[in-house]
Amino acid sequence: MRQREAGTETATGYDDSGGRLWRLARQLPAALFALGIVLELATPRDVAISAPFAAAPLAAAAVLSLWGTVLTSVLASSATILFAFFHDTGSTVEAEARSVTNLTVSALAVGVNYVLRRSGSRLASARGVAEAVQLAVLPAPPSHVGDLAVATRYRAAQAETRVGGDFYAAEETPYGVRLLLGDVRGKGLDSVAAVVLLVGVFREAAEQEETLSDVAARLDRALRREGRRQPGTAGLEGFSTAVLVEISAPSGSTAGGGPARGEGSVLRLVNRGHPAPLLLHRGNASPLEPTVPALPLGMSDLGSWPEHIDEVPFPRGAQLLLYTDGLSEARDSDGDFYDPVERLSNSYFAHPEELLETVLIDVAAHTGGRSVDDLALLAVAHDSSTP
């Protein structure tokens, strides 16, 4: 694998600098409290310093627990009162005003922290439920399908819900291993119905239909049929881009049509308006563009023609990467798109898992961790342990 300047980036694709900043932020209340004490002792007794003591509880409300905020508020209020009446030489009225002000700020800080923690708990609960829904709707394929090693990753643009419109599936069938990856129009919970429909129909059609063209036709009919049944509903989106892949032995090389266990296999692809998959082999990243462009699934009412199936070799040592436009349309701060062909050229990966982890880290570095669209990745390769 080509070495990258990943620094301390994590496996999720985000730099660990955010964790360091959070740890530093949690030390801010104590630092403000200590600063207040130092300034009080270092300045003349007729100069009252109360701002750091007032700021400490507010900082604690944002970064500490409820009890941490209460403790910080008690210490800051106590320090303000002690310095006001036993150290500073100002008037009693000023001392009382500073003390009341700090007590008020401390009480507000505790209230703010309580509200934030309750909101955070509810959000965490919602995230947990949404994540369970996502796993039920889009379970990860097994790590091995046939003689192929498989890896998948999913990142929803709406981080609060973790549910998006991208989807993938992998099935071992009598015709070879068949893969599906696509992107439903729309985002969030509104796209879940279409994802459920397409993944379910694919799993059935992949086992039953002899060709990828027939599988794509089943998906198209199902999406249009459900759209007619539920006109005007937000739960079922009107169309979906998708790429279907079949990985099987070259004609006549193995019995049963399963993936080859010798030198390699054959990739058959049907692309319905989706970004072209990448074939990674010997340091080259080659986009498998469709020979004949086709409309997305669910749009055949606008026109129909014979489905074209592209066929290319899939040698051992190669990897196939399928992705949604959340990757190819990821932008950096200057508005430049992420180019997977350029970024993955001259790279070598021992396993699909390594490929996807590298892609996530790289795209996060490119965008600065921002996410504006769902991102689904599926990578496959011949299992090196298979003879």
Side-chain angles (χ1 to χ4, degrees):
M1 182 190 103
R2 181 177 65 183
Q3 297 296 317
R4 298 182 180 273
E5 296 294 331
T8 57
E9 288 166 323
T10 66
T12 60
Y14 294 92
D15 195 283
D16 191 47
S17 59
R20 291 196 299 270
L21 289 174
W22 178 251
R23 289 191 291 272
L24 289 174
R26 290 176 62 86
Q27 300 174 19
L28 181 59
L32 288 170
F33 181 77
L35 177 63
I37 293 177
V38 170
L39 291 177
E40 277 284 1
L41 296 176
T43 56
R45 297 182 64 181
D46 59 344
V47 178
I49 305 294
S50 60
F53 295 129
L58 293 176
V63 298
L64 298 183
S65 66
L66 177 61
W67 290 112
T69 303
V70 170
L71 178 61
T72 303
S73 299
V74 170
L75 291 175
S77 298
S78 300
T80 300
I81 294 171
L82 291 174
F83 277 112
F85 290 99
F86 299 102
H87 180 266
D88 298 334
T89 58
S91 68
T92 302
V93 174
E94 290 179 354
E96 291 176 349
R98 289 198 303 273
S99 300
V100 170
T101 299
N102 194 276
L103 287 170
T104 303
V105 171
S106 296
L108 288 173
V110 172
V112 168
N113 182 273
Y114 177 75
V115 172
L116 288 175
R117 297 303 158 188
R118 282 185 60 86
S119 299
S121 297
R122 291 173 179 172
L123 180 57
S125 177
R127 284 178 173 174
V129 172
E131 189 170 46
V133 171
Q134 184 70 56
L135 291 174
V137 169
L138 196 64
S143 59
H144 290 81
V145 180
D147 84 326
L148 299 174
V150 180
T152 58
R153 294 292 186 277
Y154 191 98
R155 296 290 182 271
Q158 297 180 359
E160 312 84 40
T161 63
R162 302 186 186 180
V163 178
D166 294 0
F167 57 93
Y168 45 68
E171 294 290 323
E172 185 174 11
T173 76
Y175 312 102
V177 173
R178 286 177 168 174
L179 311 173
L180 170 69
L181 184 136
D183 182 2
V184 172
R185 181 177 66 88
K187 294 188 172 57
L189 295 173
D190 289 346
S191 62
V192 171
V195 170
V196 171
L197 173 70
L198 290 170
V199 172
V201 171
F202 170 77
R203 287 175 175 160
E204 181 179 1
E207 288 280 345
Q208 298 175 351
E209 302 295 346
E210 185 173 351
T211 69
L212 279 186
S213 298
D214 295 332
V215 177
R218 284 270 293 270
L219 294 171
D220 186 272
R221 288 196 301 270
L223 199 56
R224 289 187 292 115
R225 181 178 61 247
E226 291 303 312
R228 290 192 295 267
R229 288 179 179 176
Q230 305 177 44
T233 61
L236 188 70
E237 298 295 342
F239 67 87
S240 171
T241 66
V243 59
L244 295 92
V245 180
E246 179 181 285
I247 306 174
S248 62
S251 179
S253 62
T254 63
R261 296 181 181 272
E263 290 300 319
S265 301
V266 170
L267 292 176
R268 298 182 180 89
L269 303 99
V270 167
N271 194 320
R272 300 295 296 267
H274 198 77
L278 289 185
L279 181 63
L280 308 175
H281 187 50
R282 296 179 178 175
N284 295 317
S286 305
L288 303 179
E289 297 286 354
T291 304
V292 179
L295 290 173
L297 299 172
M299 298 184 67
S300 59
D301 288 340
L302 302 179
S304 61
W305 47 85
E307 197 87 61
H308 182 80
I309 301 177
D310 291 300
E311 187 172 306
V312 297
F314 187 42
R316 287 192 172 272
Q319 297 196 33
L320 181 68
L321 174 64
L322 283 65
Y323 59 90
T324 56
D325 58 10
L327 179 69
S328 55
E329 295 183 2
R331 297 173 183 252
D332 63 12
S333 57
D334 296 325
D336 296 327
F337 289 110
Y338 182 88
D339 185 354
V341 175
E342 176 185 349
R343 307 285 289 213
L344 295 176
S345 294
N346 301 316
S347 299
Y348 303 85
F349 307 96
H351 192 275
E353 290 283 351
E354 183 183 5
L355 167 60
L356 297 194
E357 288 299 315
T358 301
V359 170
L360 287 177
I361 290 173
D362 198 36
V363 74
H366 180 77
T367 63
R370 297 181 300 274
S371 177
V372 297
D373 199 1
D374 304 329
L375 170 61
L377 304 171
L378 188 155
V380 295
H382 289 287
D383 188 352
S384 59
S385 65
T386 303

mmCIF file of all heavy atoms in Angstrom, residues 167 180 197-203 205 214-224 242 244 297-298:
data_model
loop_
_atom_site.group_PDB
_atom_site.id
_atom_site.type_symbol
_atom_site.label_atom_id
_atom_site.label_comp_id
_atom_site.label_asym_id
_atom_site.label_seq_id
_atom_site.Cartn_x
_atom_site.Cartn_y
_atom_site.Cartn_z
ATOM 1 N N PHE A 167 -27.142 2.424 -0.767
ATOM 2 C CA PHE A 167 -27.367 1.029 -0.382
ATOM 3 C C PHE A 167 -26.410 0.122 -1.135
ATOM 4 O O PHE A 167 -25.844 0.499 -2.174
ATOM 5 C CB PHE A 167 -28.817 0.616 -0.658
ATOM 6 C CG PHE A 167 -29.245 0.787 -2.091
ATOM 7 C CD1 PHE A 167 -29.139 -0.256 -3.007
ATOM 8 C CD2 PHE A 167 -29.762 1.999 -2.537
ATOM 9 C CE1 PHE A 167 -29.524 -0.099 -4.320
ATOM 10 C CE2 PHE A 167 -30.160 2.164 -3.854
ATOM 11 C CZ PHE A 167 -30.041 1.110 -4.742
ATOM 12 N N LEU A 180 -24.632 -5.242 -5.803
ATOM 13 C CA LEU A 180 -25.467 -4.084 -6.107
ATOM 14 C C LEU A 180 -25.025 -2.935 -5.224
ATOM 15 O O LEU A 180 -24.833 -3.098 -4.016
ATOM 16 C CB LEU A 180 -26.945 -4.398 -5.832
ATOM 17 C CG LEU A 180 -27.910 -3.197 -5.873
ATOM 18 C CD1 LEU A 180 -28.058 -2.676 -7.296
ATOM 19 C CD2 LEU A 180 -29.273 -3.589 -5.293
ATOM 20 N N LEU A 197 -37.028 -1.724 -0.509
ATOM 21 C CA LEU A 197 -37.587 -2.358 -1.697
ATOM 22 C C LEU A 197 -36.493 -2.872 -2.622
ATOM 23 O O LEU A 197 -36.491 -4.036 -3.035
ATOM 24 C CB LEU A 197 -38.479 -1.360 -2.436
ATOM 25 C CG LEU A 197 -39.012 -1.823 -3.792
ATOM 26 C CD1 LEU A 197 -40.036 -2.924 -3.609
ATOM 27 C CD2 LEU A 197 -39.597 -0.648 -4.565
ATOM 28 N N LEU A 198 -35.534 -2.023 -2.963
ATOM 29 C CA LEU A 198 -34.517 -2.385 -3.944
ATOM 30 C C LEU A 198 -33.612 -3.499 -3.443
ATOM 31 O O LEU A 198 -33.289 -4.429 -4.199
ATOM 32 C CB LEU A 198 -33.694 -1.150 -4.314
ATOM 33 C CG LEU A 198 -34.444 -0.097 -5.135
ATOM 34 C CD1 LEU A 198 -33.628 1.181 -5.239
ATOM 35 C CD2 LEU A 198 -34.764 -0.632 -6.525
ATOM 36 N N VAL A 199 -33.186 -3.432 -2.191
ATOM 37 C CA VAL A 199 -32.315 -4.483 -1.658
ATOM 38 C C VAL A 199 -33.066 -5.807 -1.605
ATOM 39 O O VAL A 199 -32.514 -6.871 -1.957
ATOM 40 C CB VAL A 199 -31.778 -4.087 -0.270
ATOM 41 C CG1 VAL A 199 -31.030 -5.257 0.372
ATOM 42 C CG2 VAL A 199 -30.843 -2.888 -0.390
ATOM 43 N N GLY A 200 -34.329 -5.777 -1.184
ATOM 44 C CA GLY A 200 -35.107 -7.011 -1.111
ATOM 45 C C GLY A 200 -35.335 -7.630 -2.476
ATOM 46 O O GLY A 200 -35.185 -8.845 -2.660
ATOM 47 N N VAL A 201 -35.703 -6.806 -3.462
ATOM 48 C CA VAL A 201 -35.932 -7.321 -4.809
ATOM 49 C C VAL A 201 -34.633 -7.854 -5.403
ATOM 50 O O VAL A 201 -34.628 -8.897 -6.080
ATOM 51 C CB VAL A 201 -36.530 -6.221 -5.708
ATOM 52 C CG1 VAL A 201 -36.575 -6.670 -7.166
ATOM 53 C CG2 VAL A 201 -37.924 -5.848 -5.227
ATOM 54 N N PHE A 202 -33.524 -7.173 -5.150
ATOM 55 C CA PHE A 202 -32.243 -7.642 -5.692
ATOM 56 C C PHE A 202 -31.896 -9.020 -5.162
ATOM 57 O O PHE A 202 -31.456 -9.897 -5.925
ATOM 58 C CB PHE A 202 -31.136 -6.652 -5.344
ATOM 59 C CG PHE A 202 -29.762 -7.174 -5.662
ATOM 60 C CD1 PHE A 202 -29.294 -7.200 -6.968
ATOM 61 C CD2 PHE A 202 -28.936 -7.661 -4.656
ATOM 62 C CE1 PHE A 202 -28.030 -7.696 -7.272
ATOM 63 C CE2 PHE A 202 -27.680 -8.160 -4.946
ATOM 64 C CZ PHE A 202 -27.223 -8.181 -6.260
ATOM 65 N N ARG A 203 -32.066 -9.243 -3.871
ATOM 66 C CA ARG A 203 -31.698 -10.533 -3.299
ATOM 67 C C ARG A 203 -32.501 -11.670 -3.914
ATOM 68 O O ARG A 203 -31.989 -12.768 -4.116
ATOM 69 C CB ARG A 203 -31.897 -10.488 -1.782
ATOM 70 C CG ARG A 203 -30.841 -9.661 -1.078
ATOM 71 C CD ARG A 203 -31.114 -9.520 0.389
ATOM 72 N NE ARG A 203 -30.024 -8.812 1.048
ATOM 73 C CZ ARG A 203 -30.124 -8.222 2.215
ATOM 74 N NH1 ARG A 203 -31.280 -8.259 2.877
ATOM 75 N NH2 ARG A 203 -29.100 -7.597 2.754
ATOM 76 N N ALA A 205 -34.109 -11.467 -7.025
ATOM 77 C CA ALA A 205 -33.848 -11.523 -8.461
ATOM 78 C C ALA A 205 -32.465 -12.070 -8.768
ATOM 79 O O ALA A 205 -32.268 -12.755 -9.779
ATOM 80 C CB ALA A 205 -34.010 -10.134 -9.066
ATOM 81 N N ASP A 214 -31.764 -8.883 -16.729
ATOM 82 C CA ASP A 214 -33.048 -9.278 -16.139
ATOM 83 C C ASP A 214 -33.151 -8.804 -14.694
ATOM 84 O O ASP A 214 -34.230 -8.409 -14.231
ATOM 85 C CB ASP A 214 -33.216 -10.790 -16.217
ATOM 86 C CG ASP A 214 -33.317 -11.296 -17.647
ATOM 87 O OD1 ASP A 214 -33.782 -10.524 -18.506
ATOM 88 O OD2 ASP A 214 -32.896 -12.438 -17.903
ATOM 89 N N VAL A 215 -32.030 -8.853 -13.962
ATOM 90 C CA VAL A 215 -32.047 -8.365 -12.581
ATOM 91 C C VAL A 215 -32.356 -6.868 -12.559
ATOM 92 O O VAL A 215 -33.195 -6.388 -11.780
ATOM 93 C CB VAL A 215 -30.695 -8.633 -11.888
ATOM 94 C CG1 VAL A 215 -30.696 -8.044 -10.474
ATOM 95 C CG2 VAL A 215 -30.412 -10.128 -11.827
ATOM 96 N N ALA A 216 -31.683 -6.108 -13.438
ATOM 97 C CA ALA A 216 -31.926 -4.665 -13.499
ATOM 98 C C ALA A 216 -33.370 -4.370 -13.882
ATOM 99 O O ALA A 216 -33.995 -3.442 -13.345
ATOM 100 C CB ALA A 216 -30.971 -4.018 -14.498
ATOM 101 N N ALA A 217 -33.917 -5.181 -14.795
ATOM 102 C CA ALA A 217 -35.310 -4.965 -15.203
ATOM 103 C C ALA A 217 -36.263 -5.212 -14.038
ATOM 104 O O ALA A 217 -37.258 -4.483 -13.869
ATOM 105 C CB ALA A 217 -35.654 -5.883 -16.375
ATOM 106 N N ARG A 218 -35.987 -6.220 -13.219
ATOM 107 C CA ARG A 218 -36.828 -6.476 -12.040
ATOM 108 C C ARG A 218 -36.787 -5.293 -11.082
ATOM 109 O O ARG A 218 -37.818 -4.878 -10.534
ATOM 110 C CB ARG A 218 -36.346 -7.746 -11.336
ATOM 111 C CG ARG A 218 -36.725 -9.047 -12.008
ATOM 112 C CD ARG A 218 -38.069 -9.588 -11.506
ATOM 113 N NE ARG A 218 -38.033 -10.013 -10.120
ATOM 114 C CZ ARG A 218 -37.725 -11.241 -9.710
ATOM 115 N NH1 ARG A 218 -37.372 -12.170 -10.601
ATOM 116 N NH2 ARG A 218 -37.755 -11.544 -8.428
ATOM 117 N N LEU A 219 -35.606 -4.757 -10.846
ATOM 118 C CA LEU A 219 -35.471 -3.608 -9.956
ATOM 119 C C LEU A 219 -36.241 -2.410 -10.499
ATOM 120 O O LEU A 219 -36.924 -1.691 -9.755
ATOM 121 C CB LEU A 219 -33.999 -3.255 -9.773
ATOM 122 C CG LEU A 219 -33.128 -4.277 -9.052
ATOM 123 C CD1 LEU A 219 -31.666 -3.889 -9.145
ATOM 124 C CD2 LEU A 219 -33.534 -4.417 -7.594
ATOM 125 N N ASP A 220 -36.118 -2.186 -11.800
ATOM 126 C CA ASP A 220 -36.799 -1.050 -12.415
ATOM 127 C C ASP A 220 -38.309 -1.191 -12.289
ATOM 128 O O ASP A 220 -39.010 -0.241 -11.918
ATOM 129 C CB ASP A 220 -36.384 -0.956 -13.886
ATOM 130 C CG ASP A 220 -36.934 0.282 -14.558
ATOM 131 O OD1 ASP A 220 -38.066 0.229 -15.087
ATOM 132 O OD2 ASP A 220 -36.229 1.310 -14.548
ATOM 133 N N ARG A 221 -38.829 -2.385 -12.596
ATOM 134 C CA ARG A 221 -40.280 -2.592 -12.512
ATOM 135 C C ARG A 221 -40.783 -2.427 -11.088
ATOM 136 O O ARG A 221 -41.847 -1.842 -10.853
ATOM 137 C CB ARG A 221 -40.637 -3.988 -13.034
ATOM 138 C CG ARG A 221 -40.498 -4.144 -14.535
ATOM 139 C CD ARG A 221 -41.229 -5.392 -15.018
ATOM 140 N NE ARG A 221 -40.716 -6.600 -14.379
ATOM 141 C CZ ARG A 221 -39.724 -7.339 -14.856
ATOM 142 N NH1 ARG A 221 -39.096 -6.964 -15.973
ATOM 143 N NH2 ARG A 221 -39.331 -8.436 -14.239
ATOM 144 N N ALA A 222 -40.022 -2.947 -10.125
ATOM 145 C CA ALA A 222 -40.453 -2.848 -8.727
ATOM 146 C C ALA A 222 -40.523 -1.398 -8.276
ATOM 147 O O ALA A 222 -41.479 -0.989 -7.600
ATOM 148 C CB ALA A 222 -39.488 -3.629 -7.836
ATOM 149 N N LEU A 223 -39.535 -0.605 -8.662
ATOM 150 C CA LEU A 223 -39.518 0.797 -8.236
ATOM 151 C C LEU A 223 -40.662 1.569 -8.879
ATOM 152 O O LEU A 223 -41.342 2.370 -8.215
ATOM 153 C CB LEU A 223 -38.169 1.423 -8.601
ATOM 154 C CG LEU A 223 -37.769 2.696 -7.870
ATOM 155 C CD1 LEU A 223 -37.779 2.492 -6.362
ATOM 156 C CD2 LEU A 223 -36.396 3.169 -8.332
ATOM 157 N N ARG A 224 -40.929 1.312 -10.159
ATOM 158 C CA ARG A 224 -42.030 2.017 -10.830
ATOM 159 C C ARG A 224 -43.382 1.561 -10.294
ATOM 160 O O ARG A 224 -44.308 2.362 -10.131
ATOM 161 C CB ARG A 224 -41.949 1.800 -12.339
ATOM 162 C CG ARG A 224 -40.787 2.547 -12.987
ATOM 163 C CD ARG A 224 -40.813 2.461 -14.502
ATOM 164 N NE ARG A 224 -40.547 1.103 -14.963
ATOM 165 C CZ ARG A 224 -41.413 0.350 -15.616
ATOM 166 N NH1 ARG A 224 -42.637 0.807 -15.865
ATOM 167 N NH2 ARG A 224 -41.083 -0.860 -16.030
ATOM 168 N N ALA A 242 -27.758 3.122 -9.935
ATOM 169 C CA ALA A 242 -27.278 1.847 -9.411
ATOM 170 C C ALA A 242 -26.278 1.245 -10.388
ATOM 171 O O ALA A 242 -26.322 1.518 -11.592
ATOM 172 C CB ALA A 242 -28.429 0.867 -9.184
ATOM 173 N N LEU A 244 -24.810 -2.715 -11.120
ATOM 174 C CA LEU A 244 -24.900 -4.138 -10.804
ATOM 175 C C LEU A 244 -23.671 -4.828 -11.375
ATOM 176 O O LEU A 244 -23.256 -4.543 -12.507
ATOM 177 C CB LEU A 244 -26.161 -4.756 -11.400
ATOM 178 C CG LEU A 244 -27.500 -4.247 -10.861
ATOM 179 C CD1 LEU A 244 -28.005 -3.090 -11.705
ATOM 180 C CD2 LEU A 244 -28.534 -5.372 -10.850
ATOM 181 N N LEU A 297 -32.624 3.552 -12.491
ATOM 182 C CA LEU A 297 -33.752 2.672 -12.211
ATOM 183 C C LEU A 297 -34.991 3.507 -11.901
ATOM 184 O O LEU A 297 -34.920 4.520 -11.205
ATOM 185 C CB LEU A 297 -33.437 1.762 -11.037
ATOM 186 C CG LEU A 297 -32.245 0.806 -11.207
ATOM 187 C CD1 LEU A 297 -31.947 0.120 -9.875
ATOM 188 C CD2 LEU A 297 -32.525 -0.210 -12.297
ATOM 189 N N GLY A 298 -36.133 3.043 -12.399
ATOM 190 C CA GLY A 298 -37.381 3.751 -12.143
ATOM 191 C C GLY A 298 -37.723 4.800 -13.171
ATOM 192 O O GLY A 298 -38.755 5.456 -13.061
#
